[in-house]
Amino acid sequence: MTASVQRYKAVFTLSLLLVALSMAGCSSTPLQPYSTDVTPLMLAPAIQSEDQDDRGRFREIFCTVLEARKTTLPDPLGCDEALTRIGAEPAGNGAAVNLGPAQRRLRLVFVPGLGWDCFADWLGQFESTYNHLRSLGYEMTILNIDGLSSSQHNAGLIRDAILSLPEAREPDILAVGYSKGMVDLLNAITEYPEIQSRIVAVASLAGAVGGSPLAYQATADQLELMQYFPGAACESSGDEALIDLYPDTRKKWLSRHPLPQQIPFYSLITFPQPERISWILKNSYNKLAQVDPRNDSQLIFYDQFIPGSKLVAYLNADHLAIALPIDEKHRLISTLFVNENTFPRDALYESLMRYIEEETGSEQTRKTP
């Protein structure tokens, strides 16, 4: 392939990626300045007590893992660079962090977001994260959903996928919803109670729990463009996926669907410094900043929080960097357009598994009288 053809393909790919993932309109200037002056009350009524803010302990775990893996995992960052300090962060408990083999064989079940299957072939299958977690004794599964379909449709696919996984003697699935995947996952958990006994915990990773104001301005025609992405394996279902992301839709759904109390829920929120937003996402960041500048280019920080969950972390990453390894797979595109994609994702997922292991109890802890 000649250099000119390679450049054309890169430009074509980026053009589709821009339309598909940023849902950006014309660039707009934020109406208010960015600020990290945030208190838990800004998540109210979703967060109701200090016990729900566990950022201190997660910071201890994440910092320990980052330091231990800085020479062996991709995208090394300092802990203070990877996490955004917001308001008064509580202290951790100071307990030692296990860096050895897993003390509980957990399986991370990742539910991807809008249009994921359109880009999955281009992105690859998270080999680095998968291999790293397996080396520690954890498992990882990325669910195949219809990225341009409704949450109701995808809930059935999630249900079938979870029931098809090898069943452990006890709940072993940490279900992680990314972006719209979190909407699909919540739908599945409430619509199909038969999967609840398989799930040890649920975590929102930049999850669109409360939707996004950007969805109101996106169109079904924009979603259909994703089908023409090189290697895409997706089909459009009109505007159903967008309607699921309307803030009004999400508020009504949450008010009518109480979450199961026997499953603990956790929220990891992307709250990047403005300079950590990739060039390709600047337009959508600025557009959303007219509502609130504390956004990751797709979601405002408080719309990522699961009501009643524990607040685990504010992550200094934009909406793409937290989950899409573009910097690992496509260096040219990352350098030119998705230029803030570097984030220690493998260390983050390990830290989350270590944290959930502590929260739910290791095998040794549960066997102790």
Side-chain angles (χ1 to χ4, degrees):
M1 184 181 295
T2 66
S4 60
V5 172
Q6 288 178 328
R7 285 194 296 270
Y8 174 81
K9 184 175 181 180
V11 171
F12 176 70
T13 298
L14 251 295
S15 298
L16 288 177
L17 186 65
L18 177 60
V19 173
L21 295 181
S22 72
M23 292 193 292
C26 297
S27 179
S28 304
T29 302
L31 298 182
Q32 55 180 318
Y34 172 88
S35 171
T36 57
D37 184 16
V38 171
T39 68
L41 289 177
M42 291 185 178
L43 296 173
I47 190 166
Q48 301 169 341
S49 71
E50 292 182 359
D51 292 339
Q52 285 180 256
D53 189 347
D54 208 16
R55 288 177 292 156
R57 180 52 184 164
F58 186 78
R59 180 180 288 272
E60 289 177 332
I61 295 173
F62 194 25
C63 291
T64 301
V65 170
L66 281 174
E67 178 63 25
R69 314 297 188 212
K70 63 184 179 182
T71 60
T72 58
L73 291 181
D75 298 330
L77 282 181
C79 191
D80 288 335
E81 189 177 0
L83 296 174
T84 308
R85 284 194 180 273
I86 305 296
E89 184 175 293
N93 60 24
V97 177
N98 172 43
L99 293 172
Q103 295 179 338
R104 180 174 186 178
R105 197 170 185 84
L106 296 174
R107 179 185 295 272
L108 192 160
V109 173
F110 185 87
V111 184
L114 183 70
W116 186 278
D117 47 345
C118 302
F119 311 110
D121 181 67
W122 184 73
L123 285 171
Q125 293 298 316
F126 282 41
E127 296 93 342
S128 177
T129 303
Y130 176 83
N131 291 333
H132 177 59
L133 292 181
R134 289 211 73 183
S135 73
L136 300 170
Y138 301 113
E139 298 290 340
M140 181 177 185
T141 299
I142 300 177
L143 296 193
N144 293 318
I145 60 171
D146 293 339
L148 302 182
S149 294
S150 69
S151 292
Q152 183 178 8
H153 171 77
N154 283 334
L157 299 181
I158 294 170
R159 179 257 184 201
D160 293 345
I162 286 179
L163 293 181
S164 70
L165 292 171
E167 188 168 4
R169 291 175 298 174
E170 57 187 348
D172 66 329
I173 292 174
L174 166 60
V176 176
Y178 165 64
S179 195
K180 182 179 174 289
M182 191 67 239
V183 178
D184 300 345
L185 178 57
L186 291 178
N187 196 304
I189 291 171
T190 56
E191 186 73 20
Y192 301 104
E194 60 266 33
I195 69 175
Q196 294 177 10
S197 63
R198 302 288 304 273
I199 298 173
V200 68
V202 173
S204 167
L205 179 65
V209 180
S212 172
L214 293 178
Y216 289 128
Q217 300 180 356
T219 67
D221 289 341
Q222 287 176 315
L223 292 189
E224 288 179 3
L225 282 176
M226 295 189 189
Q227 300 173 99
Y228 302 103
F229 196 86
C234 57
E235 295 182 4
S236 175
S237 298
D239 60 358
E240 292 179 345
L242 289 175
I243 293 173
D244 284 331
L245 292 172
Y246 290 173
D248 287 346
T249 301
R250 303 306 325 132
K251 290 176 182 176
K252 290 178 182 177
W253 189 93
L254 289 168
S255 68
R256 297 171 182 172
H257 297 81
L259 301 180
Q261 295 185 355
Q262 71 272 24
I263 299 177
F265 290 82
Y266 303 88
S267 295
L268 292 86
I269 295 174
T270 39
F271 197 134
Q273 301 286 340
E275 60 270 20
R276 290 282 290 159
I277 303 290
S278 282
W279 177 87
I280 200 173
L281 297 174
K282 287 292 187 181
N283 283 349
S284 57
Y285 169 79
N286 286 334
K287 198 168 193 67
L288 195 52
Q290 294 182 77
V291 180
D292 196 309
R294 296 163 298 189
N295 72 77
D296 69 355
S297 78
Q298 301 299 297
L299 301 170
I300 299 171
F301 81 99
Y302 48 72
D303 285 328
Q304 303 176 42
F305 188 81
I306 305 173
S309 68
K310 275 193 175 183
L311 175 60
V312 177
Y314 287 121
L315 303 166
N316 190 18
D318 66 32
H319 198 71
L320 300 188
I322 202 61
L324 278 62
I326 298 172
D327 58 330
E328 298 177 23
K329 304 291 184 179
H330 304 280
R331 291 290 184 182
L332 176 61
I333 289 175
S334 176
T335 300
L336 296 178
F337 304 105
V338 195
N339 57 313
E340 293 295 338
N341 193 244
T342 298
F343 194 82
R345 288 172 288 266
D346 294 356
L348 173 67
Y349 296 136
E350 176 188 346
S351 300
L352 180 58
M353 299 297 269
R354 304 282 190 190
Y355 174 78
I356 296 299
E357 193 174 65
E358 280 190 7
E359 282 281 291
T360 59
S362 66
E363 292 179 1
Q364 182 177 358
T365 301
R366 294 193 305 280
K367 291 177 182 178
T368 301

